[in-house]
Amino acid sequence: MENCFAFPMLSTTAEPAAFFWAFLIVGTAMLIFPRAFWFLSHGMFFRDSEPSDMALIFYRVLGGVCLVLAIVSLSGGLY
């Protein structure tokens, strides 16, 4: 079968490792620095604003979800 796209077919062997490292780095950073992620998504638009406790908890939980996704992507997926 000929590739009809302008891009060559990507190898599927590198994808789980790339997702693993991306989710691992982002998830760990979200767990350690939730205030920085809040600032990047909301804080830079408002002057003298502080995140609520719930917002910080949300970013920490989201960091945990990213770490779980890193483990799942390393194991080959959910199927």
Side-chain angles (χ1 to χ4, degrees):
M1 183 173 160
E2 187 177 322
N3 187 4
C4 61
F5 298 107
F7 303 107
M9 294 300 265
L10 297 174
S11 172
T12 58
T13 58
E15 290 178 12
F19 283 123
F20 167 74
W21 286 110
F23 284 129
L24 182 72
I25 291 169
V26 171
T28 304
M30 283 181 126
L31 281 173
I32 297 173
F33 307 111
R35 190 177 298 266
F37 281 88
W38 176 85
F39 179 78
L40 290 174
S41 64
H42 295 91
M44 69 173 78
F45 300 113
F46 305 105
R47 187 178 309 178
D48 297 329
S49 61
E50 292 290 324
S52 66
D53 290 337
M54 184 57 99
L56 294 177
I57 290 170
F58 171 75
Y59 282 107
R60 283 203 169 117
V61 168
L62 197 58
V65 169
C66 283
L67 289 178
V68 168
L69 287 174
I71 293 168
V72 168
S73 71
L74 189 63
S75 68
L78 293 174
Y79 47 91

